[in-house]
Amino acid sequence: MKVDHFEQQKLLDLAAEDVALTQLAHRRRTLPEVAAVEAAEESERERSADVVRAETEAKDLTREVRRLESDVDTVRQRAARDQQRLDSGSATPKEMTGLQHEMESLARRQADLEDQELELMERLETAESALASAQQAVQEAREARERAEQRRDDALADIADGTARHETARAAIAEGISAPLLSLYDRIRAQTGSTGAAMLQARACQGCRIELNGRELAAVRNADPHEVVRCENCGRILVRTAESGL
């Protein structure tokens, strides 16, 4: 294939845009801000789980406190009825003795229940404090996740802007390249995963960074200036310039 030497040099500008686009695509795939968001989301999930556990413990203890309060109230009501009957004077001596014994038993039962209630209330206070701390932690984790998402979105927007600029520039350059040469370039680009052409500089291909051997160098040196020559190592189109060292 023969193409005007100056048109071939436009491939270097095209390759520069492709390098930039490849770098932007790699940056998007490996964006640390994306990993930071994932880490922040995991932290928020863990803090949320802590809140659920703390809420469950606080609710369980609250139910236990209410149960004990109900038991204490039941004992107090029973003791009040016994005292009322004693005070009425309607009970027989034997019944009075039984009532007094029952009231003593009720008093001990009430004291025991109140001790249990006090212990549970202390545990509930600790659990509620832990719940408040867990809720604060999840709020902080949520705010950290939102900040990480903003940084990620800003980085992605920057990449999108850069990609759009380089795609526009590439399209403008491609318009000045003939269809056969552009087709060959794009085919090679798909094979290499980066660019389809590279400068021959100081007798080395700048695509694969390998210096041409004597035979290869002689072939390029003797080729027509408008002949499209390729690197035998990487297959890229070799663009000759004053820096080629021929």
Side-chain angles (χ1 to χ4, degrees):
M1 179 188 294
K2 286 188 178 182
V3 179
D4 184 80
H5 175 66
F6 293 106
E7 183 180 336
Q8 290 188 46
Q9 291 190 354
K10 293 179 182 178
L11 294 178
L12 296 179
D13 295 330
L14 195 66
E17 296 302 328
D18 285 337
V19 167
L21 288 169
T22 299
Q23 291 172 340
L24 285 167
H26 176 74
R27 181 186 169 199
R28 194 185 193 290
R29 290 193 302 271
T30 60
L31 202 62
E33 287 83 353
V34 172
V37 169
E38 293 173 353
E41 289 173 341
E42 178 61 24
S43 177
E44 185 178 358
R45 283 193 291 270
E46 291 175 355
R47 301 293 81 75
S48 295
D50 291 341
V51 168
V52 172
R53 285 191 290 270
E55 284 178 337
T56 300
E57 183 176 4
K59 287 177 181 178
D60 289 346
L61 288 170
T62 297
R63 282 195 294 270
E64 284 299 302
V65 168
R66 288 173 180 169
R67 182 185 63 77
L68 283 173
E69 287 175 344
S70 177
D71 289 347
V72 169
D73 187 57
T74 298
V75 170
R76 285 174 178 166
Q77 291 178 18
R78 180 65 179 272
R81 287 197 299 271
D82 288 351
Q83 185 63 52
Q84 186 177 28
R85 190 172 180 193
L86 282 173
D87 293 342
S88 69
S90 61
T92 65
K94 183 178 179 180
E95 289 175 333
M96 291 179 64
T97 299
L99 288 171
Q100 288 172 343
H101 287 163
E102 183 175 271
M103 289 183 64
E104 291 172 359
S105 176
L106 289 172
R108 289 192 298 271
R109 175 61 176 162
Q110 181 176 334
D112 182 55
L113 289 173
E114 287 175 343
D115 286 344
Q116 293 180 47
E117 182 182 1
L118 179 60
E119 179 185 352
L120 278 177
M121 290 180 69
E122 290 174 348
R123 289 173 57 191
L124 177 58
E125 183 178 355
T126 300
E128 289 175 338
S129 177
L131 174 58
S133 296
Q135 290 171 332
Q136 177 64 29
V138 81
Q139 176 62 28
E140 292 172 356
R142 183 178 300 113
E143 292 171 355
R145 186 254 304 160
E146 290 171 351
R147 290 193 297 271
E149 288 176 337
Q150 185 61 58
R151 288 191 292 269
R152 177 204 60 192
D153 293 346
D154 290 344
L156 289 174
D158 181 61
I159 292 172
D161 289 344
T163 299
R165 287 196 307 272
H166 287 290
E167 285 178 342
T168 299
R170 186 188 193 281
I173 295 167
E175 287 180 357
I177 301 173
S178 60
L181 181 61
L182 183 60
S183 177
L184 175 61
Y185 173 91
D186 286 337
R187 192 161 61 247
I188 298 169
R189 178 194 178 203
Q191 294 169 355
T192 64
S194 56
T195 63
M199 179 189 293
L200 176 62
Q201 185 178 40
R203 302 181 179 183
C205 170
Q206 296 305 299
C208 60
R209 303 292 177 175
I210 294 178
E211 185 174 348
L212 275 62
N213 61 36
R215 179 187 57 80
E216 294 168 339
L217 190 62
V220 174
R221 183 185 295 119
N222 296 327
D224 186 292
H226 303 306
E227 183 73 28
V228 175
V229 296
R230 297 175 61 178
C231 175
E232 292 190 10
N233 182 65
C234 67
R236 289 180 175 87
I237 297 169
L238 285 175
V239 179
R240 290 160 285 176
T241 70
E243 301 178 31
S244 294
L246 299 175

